[in-house]
Amino acid sequence: MAPSYPPVVRVDKDERMDDRELVSYLRRCNEADNHAFAEVAHRFGGDALLDSHLPTLDLIDQLAREWQAMDFGDDRYPGLTYALRVLAQAYQQPHA
């Protein structure tokens, strides 16, 4: 069962979603992945999952939570924002 990711909300194809929308979107996609993997584990047992995938999802969500609590003036803010944008691209459908 493939996870159903939330749609990307865009007004114009050249307009990027703002940072808060992006991180919220990434966390919703991450949650969809976790639910999908829980379904796989329920049906086929824990051995059906890659050992590294679930911890990776947890670490991505940890970064997103840290970003949400981070002060805009923090030196890490621009780099973490960029990293989360790149990670979110994995969930976005190609544009027509």
Side-chain angles (χ1 to χ4, degrees), residues 40-57:
V40 168
H42 176 72
R43 287 185 184 194
F44 302 106
D47 293 338
L49 301 176
L50 295 175
D51 289 338
S52 64
H53 196 79
L54 292 175
T56 300
L57 290 175

Side-chain angles (χ1 to χ4, degrees), residues 66-82:
E66 286 179 16
W67 181 91
Q68 288 176 318
M70 188 177 287
D71 181 57
F72 183 76
D74 191 308
D75 290 341
R76 300 170 297 159
Y77 185 86
L80 185 52
T81 300
Y82 176 77

Side-chain angles (χ1 to χ4, degrees), residues 7-23:
V8 178
V9 178
R10 292 180 189 274
V11 176
D12 179 75
K13 70 177 186 175
D14 296 326
E15 183 179 325
R16 291 170 32 164
M17 66 175 74
D18 75 18
D19 295 337
R20 292 199 184 281
E21 282 182 319
L22 173 102
V23 172

